[in-house]
Amino acid sequence: MPLHDLARAFVPYPDAPVPRAATGPLADLSFAAKDLFDVAGYPTGGGNPIVLAMSGIKTRTAPTVQKLLDAGARFVGKTVTDELAFSMNGNNAHFGAPINGAARDRITGGSSSGSASAVSSNLCDFALGTDTGGSVRAPANHCGLYGLRPTHGRVSLEGALDLAPSFDTCGWFARDIGPFARVADVLLGPDAAPLPERVRLLRPDDVWAQPAPAAVDALKGAAGRVQGVLGPAKGIEVVLESFDAMYWNFRYLQSREAWLTDGPLIERYAPPLGPGVAERFAWSREVTDAQVSAAHVFRTAFRAQLASLLGNDGVLLMPTMPDIAPLRSDSEAALEDYRNRAIRMLCIAGLAGFPQLSMPLAWREGAPLGISLLGPAGSDRSLIALAQRIAN
């Protein structure tokens, strides 16, 4: 852990040596990993004292972390995660709330809160996070960072704690697109089905109707900048049935999987769970088989619909979140309301399993605001190449 972690981004574990390659494509970069990933010499706490107590010191490093070390990147510590990764606010009742380096009076967002805090506070060059319901994209929006939710299954989560495995993905943050793209070369490699040079830019009008009007106004310049590079965006609608249907079907599936993952621990030890997290697990326990079965059918239909809309050359241009980060002083009820509004937008990539890249191209009231590119399955590296063109 850095000696002067004023951002409260890192879990205060004793330092342990983590060997890396002496040379490699990332040898000049430092990184951190969310405390869901195993790193030899450290425990894995998952933001929960019971999980930490049961962990022991790991003897094997998660393969994705090892890839970065083998590429020469320097490991600087494990970062705070929201409890059991089942939150989007960036406040852990046991380990505190990391500081948003881009807007210190506002939340970082979670659950990859410490990773976004460390990068936005210049404590490392990039950091690993995970995204199940939005846990990379939300902090990227809030902290002025590039952040990717990759195609589901593209980046290994072996050696990392699960939340909802059919939604869990491994992403990362960086302040600038150059280092971000270099990490992509290591973790992603080339796309199996890259986007063509000229993409079909699409504007999902139903999604653009969701954010606060002031946020939409703040994003106009960023949207114009993207279209200036990629061409004018054609208006479409992407939601299946309604936003409520999207929201509830996503929640039923995620919550059932979260209970299957963590329910046995919760029932065995009855750990004191933080605000919001406790209520979400209690709700998850009551999700019915009928709700889950119907949600599986819905997800299959939505994935097919979005795949048809995008084809092999379509890219959605959309706001990442409903607005800038809420204030740290906002009530738990206000934060939960913001979270539920955000899920209606974030569940598009989650239900489809498609990649979404948030870019820090706008500001409002002195706080960053992200705009996203969402592409077909397997187009992750191509989306990053588009972002490089836009940034230049």
Side-chain angles (χ1 to χ4, degrees):
M1 183 185 72
L3 293 176
H4 303 292
D5 178 18
L6 300 181
R8 302 198 289 271
F10 291 88
V11 185
Y13 294 137
D15 286 334
V18 179
R20 60 172 175 141
T23 61
L26 305 181
D28 60 329
L29 299 181
S30 60
F31 79 104
K34 184 177 184 177
D35 194 25
L36 301 182
F37 292 90
D38 290 348
V39 177
Y42 289 84
T44 299
N48 177 271
I50 298 292
V51 175
L52 176 58
M54 295 171 62
S55 166
I57 300 299
K58 302 302 180 184
T59 58
R60 184 172 179 267
T61 295
T64 293
V65 176
Q66 191 62 52
K67 272 190 176 182
L68 299 170
L69 296 168
D70 291 345
R74 178 171 59 90
F75 178 76
V76 297
K78 301 191 77 177
T79 54
V80 172
T81 173
D82 287 16
E83 189 171 13
L84 300 173
F86 205 11
S87 176
M88 210 181 292
N89 294 335
N91 186 20
N92 185 306
H94 315 288
F95 294 92
I99 299 296
N100 182 339
R104 295 181 65 85
D105 60 337
R106 297 184 179 273
I107 66 171
T108 57
S111 61
S112 306
S113 51
S115 291
S117 172
V119 177
S120 65
S121 301
N122 292 291
L123 297 177
C124 57
D125 296 306
F126 70 96
L128 288 180
T130 61
D131 188 308
T132 302
S135 292
V136 166
R137 292 164 290 163
N141 177 86
H142 294 352
C143 297
L145 304 171
Y146 287 92
L148 176 73
R149 176 199 167 87
T151 300
H152 186 263
R154 181 150 182 187
V155 182
S156 173
L157 279 170
E158 181 186 347
L161 295 175
D162 294 332
L163 175 60
S166 77
F167 294 102
D168 294 346
T169 62
C170 172
W172 67 96
F173 305 97
R175 294 180 296 277
D176 302 304
I177 191 62
F180 192 92
R182 290 165 59 196
V183 175
D185 290 338
V186 171
L187 293 185
L188 297 175
D191 289 335
L195 292 168
E197 181 68 21
R198 184 172 181 82
V199 299
R200 232 175 358 105
L201 197 63
L202 303 169
R203 176 191 169 97
D205 293 327
D206 44 3
V207 180
W208 278 92
Q210 293 300 301
V216 174
D217 286 343
L219 287 169
K220 284 179 179 176
R225 178 176 172 182
V226 173
Q227 292 176 87
V229 175
L230 303 183
K234 176 186 176 183
I236 60 165
E237 295 199 347
V238 300
V239 166
L240 179 61
E241 295 183 17
S242 67
F243 276 100
D244 278 351
M246 298 279 289
Y247 170 86
W248 286 112
N249 283 291
F250 171 80
R251 280 204 66 190
Y252 291 145
L253 291 171
Q254 182 201 35
S255 297
R256 167 57 64 87
E257 293 185 23
W259 185 254
L260 289 174
T261 296
D262 291 315
L265 173 98
I266 292 168
E267 292 196 318
R268 169 68 178 83
Y269 295 101
L273 300 172
V277 177
E279 289 79 1
R280 278 189 282 283
F281 274 113
W283 190 87
S284 297
R285 185 180 184 178
E286 304 305 319
V287 172
T288 68
D289 290 346
Q291 289 168 330
V292 172
S293 179
H296 278 298
V297 173
F298 183 93
R299 175 163 65 176
T300 299
F302 175 69
R303 183 178 293 160
Q305 171 183 289
L306 188 57
S308 177
L309 282 170
L310 296 179
N312 60 8
D313 64 345
V315 174
L316 299 183
L317 174 64
M318 55 190 277
T320 303
M321 292 287 281
D323 206 344
I324 56 178
L327 292 167
R328 294 169 67 89
S329 58
D330 282 354
S331 68
E332 188 66 35
L335 292 175
E336 187 66 11
D337 176 68
Y338 181 93
R339 178 182 184 273
N340 289 327
R341 288 167 54 208
I343 288 173
R344 284 169 160 76
M345 300 164 61
L346 294 164
C347 71
I348 292 169
L351 285 167
F354 294 176
Q356 181 179 348
L357 174 67
S358 185
M359 305 176 291
L361 301 184
W363 289 77
R364 184 171 97 76
E365 294 186 0
L369 189 62
I371 193 167
S372 282
L373 301 176
L374 189 156
S379 66
D380 314 52
R381 189 61 186 84
S382 296
L383 293 180
I384 296 167
L386 294 178
Q388 289 176 285
R389 288 167 57 188
I390 293 162
N392 294 332

